[in-house]
Amino acid sequence: MIPAPVQRVLARLGAALESRRLLPAGEEHPVQPVPPLARLSDPAPAGRAEPPDVDGPDQSRALVAIVAARTPAPLVLALHGLPCATGIVAVGARVIEDLIAQAPDVIVVEAEPARFDAPALIRALRACEDLARTPVLLVAEGAPRTLRRLAREVGASDVVAKPFDEWELQDRVGVLIALAQARADSERRALAMRRDAARAIAETSAREREIIRRLMLAAEFRDDQAGDHLTRVAGGVIAVAEGLGLSQAEADDIALASTMHDIGKIGVPDHILLKAGPLTPEEWTEMRQHALRGYHMLHDSPSRLLQIAAEVALTHHERWDGTGYPRGLKGEEIPLSGRIVAVADVFDALISARSYKAAWPLEKARAHIESEAGRHFDPACVAAFLSRWDDIVALVQERAA
């Protein structure tokens, strides 16, 4: 039976692996349909939304909202010649909310200075996130040059002077509809590309998880005690990393990477790796090559997680005072991941029985870790380890003999 603390570590590592999946873009928050604008040229049933356009631009589905202080009969009649639906939104306190709810393709604002401030309304539309990119046509009285300047200042997409020519109005609105639908089509294509990219990343992440699991299996095949050791080391890494204030994601990444810290031992001959007695100097030299071998196995992967694992494999035998191997790094020259794993790895090695040594009592192993702060281990990592002592004890006290 697997002890509960070990089960929790395994569950957390499994969850961390699964969290490396990415959801397809755009699917996190499903959008609820809203009722369509009351259409004069397309009397759809009230309260029913039309299906989304999935086949690309289609002008017959365009919706043009006319914002006016009173019924804009000339505008409605002029737009009747376009293959689009038209509707009226009355000027009032809720005009912005009404337009947001209906989401038209184009907004036509008929200015009537005596009744409402059309430039101020257009500025408000441009300040509204939901309507900021919707094409707006200003229809107003005045000199064309003056109106063009006003349209630019307030953010209108185009302007038509009153009295307007029906054909010119249709041409201007038609261009804005084409612009809106081309933009919508571009956004649909971008969304599809993001989904394809997310799917490819998810597949890559799945392959990454499979590689990690198989590398862990490879380590266990060489040493039948490796599985328990790797799990406890990962649990110790989580405790130390969180004691240092790292985020859960950072702690989980280092914990996952730590499961491959001794992967280089695959290349160590059995007569050395499984030797019951002390190693000779020559055998120690060979054994120490596992750090470099593990690094070379992992370092050139594009996976960030495997790059962390390569860093850990290379540096978890370095010592804070510079007397470790393989490169004799000192202090903060040693990556934080390697300094964290060093504490967890040594502690578990001390409390584990091996053919060449007996298991140390927990308090004796703790005292050793504490005494080696500033020599073997980063003092900050030791302090973090001690601050999470109850978690460490819970992880190891029920381990299988």
Side-chain angles (χ1 to χ4, degrees):
M1 179 178 178
I2 301 176
V6 175
Q7 287 181 335
R8 287 194 293 272
V9 172
L10 290 172
R12 177 158 172 178
L13 293 179
L17 281 171
E18 291 304 315
S19 71
R20 302 183 74 79
R21 298 178 186 266
L22 294 182
L23 290 175
E27 294 186 357
E28 295 82 357
H29 305 289
V31 178
Q32 300 299 320
V34 296
L37 188 67
R39 298 180 175 186
L40 301 182
S41 59
D42 182 13
R48 293 185 60 186
E50 292 194 347
D53 180 4
V54 295
D55 299 320
D58 181 357
Q59 203 174 58
S60 66
R61 294 187 176 192
L63 175 58
V64 178
I66 302 174
V67 180
R70 52 187 171 179
T71 304
L75 282 173
V76 173
L77 292 173
L79 295 178
H80 187 70
L82 288 176
C84 66
T86 56
I88 301 171
V89 176
V91 173
R94 293 184 53 81
V95 61
I96 298 294
E97 290 82 355
D98 291 342
L99 286 169
I100 291 174
Q102 307 307 334
D105 296 286
V106 174
I107 299 172
V108 177
V109 177
E110 184 179 33
E112 198 168 343
R115 292 177 178 269
F116 77 102
D117 189 344
L121 173 61
I122 296 174
R123 287 191 177 96
L125 294 176
R126 290 299 178 237
C128 174
E129 182 178 357
D130 294 309
L131 300 171
R133 290 165 58 84
T134 303
V136 176
L137 175 67
L138 173 63
V139 180
E141 294 180 346
R145 182 183 180 87
T146 302
L147 290 178
R148 285 195 296 272
R149 183 181 298 111
L150 174 64
R152 175 175 294 184
E153 289 174 355
V154 301
S157 308
D158 202 353
V159 63
V160 172
K162 290 183 178 182
F164 55 80
D165 177 80
E166 176 180 333
W167 300 108
E168 180 186 8
L169 181 69
Q170 289 184 11
D171 286 346
R172 299 289 183 90
V173 173
V175 168
L176 294 181
I177 289 173
L179 172 64
Q181 294 188 323
R183 178 178 293 160
D185 182 58
S186 175
E187 291 173 351
R188 280 191 293 270
R189 293 176 186 275
L191 176 60
M193 291 176 65
R194 288 196 297 272
R195 286 175 172 165
D196 289 344
R199 188 177 299 112
I201 292 172
E203 291 172 356
T204 300
S205 297
R207 288 194 292 270
E208 178 183 89
R209 293 193 300 273
E210 181 66 12
I211 290 170
I212 293 168
R213 289 190 179 103
R214 293 191 179 277
L215 286 173
M216 292 169 65
L217 283 173
E220 290 185 40
F221 276 127
R222 293 303 314 281
D223 182 350
D224 60 5
Q225 296 180 320
D228 290 341
H229 171 65
L230 296 180
T231 301
R232 291 192 302 270
V233 169
V237 165
I238 289 172
V240 174
E242 292 185 343
L244 288 171
L246 273 63
S247 68
Q248 178 176 331
E250 292 170 321
D252 288 349
D253 276 353
I254 299 175
L256 285 170
S258 75
T259 63
M260 292 169 276
H261 71 279
D262 276 341
I263 192 65
K265 287 184 178 179
I266 289 174
V268 178
D270 284 349
H271 74 274
I272 297 176
L273 183 65
L274 306 178
K275 186 175 181 179
L279 300 182
T280 67
E282 293 77 14
E283 289 170 339
W284 265 118
T285 298
E286 174 61 27
M287 177 67 84
R288 289 180 175 183
Q289 294 303 309
H290 80 274
L292 282 169
R293 286 176 181 148
Y295 171 77
H296 289 305
M297 290 172 63
L298 303 169
H299 82 283
D300 56 354
S301 168
S303 162
R304 177 177 175 273
L305 183 58
L306 292 182
Q307 290 172 4
I308 297 173
E311 180 180 84
V312 167
L314 181 64
T315 62
H316 72 284
H317 285 299
E318 299 288 357
R319 297 171 61 101
W320 185 256
D321 62 6
T323 62
Y325 68 88
R327 294 188 297 169
L329 300 180
K330 182 176 183 180
E332 293 188 358
E333 294 175 351
I334 308 167
L336 180 59
S337 61
R339 296 175 350 233
I340 291 172
V341 174
V343 174
D345 182 37
V346 170
F347 177 76
D348 191 71
L350 291 175
I351 64 172
S352 299
R354 292 290 185 264
S355 58
Y356 53 86
K357 77 170 192 67
W360 286 25
L362 289 181
E363 291 301 329
K364 180 180 178 182
R366 170 186 167 135
H368 177 81
I369 296 294
E370 192 169 5
S371 69
E372 287 296 312
R375 290 199 295 268
H376 190 157
F377 307 118
D378 177 355
C381 290
V382 172
F385 173 84
L386 297 174
S387 74
R388 299 295 295 269
W389 179 246
D390 290 344
D391 295 331
I392 300 294
V393 172
L395 176 65
V396 303
Q397 67 182 357
E398 299 178 38
R399 75 188 190 282

